[in-house]
Amino acid sequence: MRNFLSFLRSKTFLINLGLALVALLVISWLTLQWLKVSTHHGELVEVPDIKRMSVMEMREAIEKADLRYEVLDSANYDPEYPRFSVIEQNPPAGNFVKENRKIYVTINPSGYKKVTVPNIVQVTQRNATSMLRAVGLDVERVTYIDELGKDMVYYARFKGKNIQPGDKLPKTSRIELICGNGNIPGQARIKADAQ
């Protein structure tokens, strides 16, 4: 035990201990400097405002700012934004982020998605309107024809052409309902009188 205590007080031990502490400090300082350089500590880039930009313009702006991007699934069509333009970005414009950070963007699709026309034939005009609204279609107008079923839908038109149940139309399309006015059609009246 006495030898051990005298070794701890020896000049050789103290010199080696001092050298070990200096080496530890130098290695720690070098590691911190390397981390600062490799992680770009304190070097921030402002996120550009890319909303309403086309995909090509967005790419240029993102690359110019030394950032990366990832396109998320396109959202539902928004008529207030140009087709194939950015409608959302995360993080928002004006935030400061590190270089090479990924910016998540949502692109406006080319138009409304298509929806299936429900079977509204032989349904009341009121119910047909509700069924159409439920799938995202609107009623532009109701035209009445001589048919016995008052307010009964006999067929529908889109841009002047007859449409069938199951047809696909862009969401928010406005269609025309052709309904009966409750009068007996002229041909039916003639046939009834002839018998």
Side-chain angles (χ1 to χ4, degrees):
M1 180 77 174
R2 195 174 221 196
N3 288 338
F4 180 70
L5 289 176
S6 64
F7 171 72
L8 289 179
R9 292 187 194 141
S10 72
K11 195 174 189 182
T12 306
F13 175 74
L14 293 176
I15 289 173
N16 285 330
L17 182 63
L19 288 174
L21 288 175
V22 168
L24 182 65
L25 289 174
V26 167
I27 289 171
S28 297
W29 184 80
L30 287 173
T31 303
L32 289 175
Q33 294 307 310
W34 175 77
L35 282 172
K36 205 179 272 190
V37 169
S38 66
T39 61
H40 303 289
H41 181 70
E43 297 176 26
L44 298 176
V45 176
E46 185 174 0
V47 176
D49 186 6
I50 55 176
K51 279 192 177 178
R52 296 194 177 275
M53 286 186 179
S54 70
V55 174
M56 294 304 292
E57 294 169 333
M58 178 268 302
R59 279 184 188 160
E60 290 174 16
I62 293 285
E63 289 171 2
K64 186 177 179 183
D66 291 326
L67 298 169
R68 296 177 299 143
Y69 69 92
E70 182 175 324
V71 176
L72 301 175
D73 280 343
S74 295
N76 288 330
Y77 179 69
D78 187 342
E80 294 181 17
Y81 287 86
R83 294 177 349 157
F84 301 114
S85 66
V86 177
I87 58 176
E88 284 184 21
Q89 71 180 79
N90 187 21
N95 282 9
F96 287 91
V97 296
K98 290 185 179 183
E99 285 182 13
N100 209 26
R101 165 83 187 266
K102 197 179 280 187
I103 307 299
Y104 297 94
V105 295
T106 304
I107 305 295
N108 199 21
S110 63
Y112 288 107
K113 68 179 183 176
K114 296 205 174 206
V115 294
T116 304
V117 176
N119 187 359
I120 55 173
V121 176
Q122 298 295 314
V123 174
T124 64
Q125 181 234 322
R126 184 176 180 182
N127 286 344
T129 301
S130 296
M131 291 168 67
L132 291 170
R133 285 192 180 137
V135 296
L137 299 172
D138 288 322
V139 175
E140 183 176 24
R141 71 175 163 264
V142 178
T143 303
Y144 290 94
I145 58 173
D146 284 340
E147 284 294 340
L148 189 57
K150 184 167 174 55
D151 288 327
M152 181 76 64
V153 176
Y154 284 90
Y155 57 95
R157 288 188 186 142
F158 176 65
K159 294 185 177 179
K161 295 181 182 175
N162 289 356
I163 55 174
Q164 301 297 320
D167 287 352
K168 301 274 189 183
L169 295 176
K171 193 172 183 179
T172 73
S173 293
R174 298 174 61 81
I175 66 173
E176 176 185 9
L177 297 179
I178 311 301
C179 297
N181 60 9
N183 295 331
I184 298 174
Q187 293 174 339
R189 214 177 279 138
I190 292 169
K191 286 180 183 174
D193 291 342
Q195 291 179 350

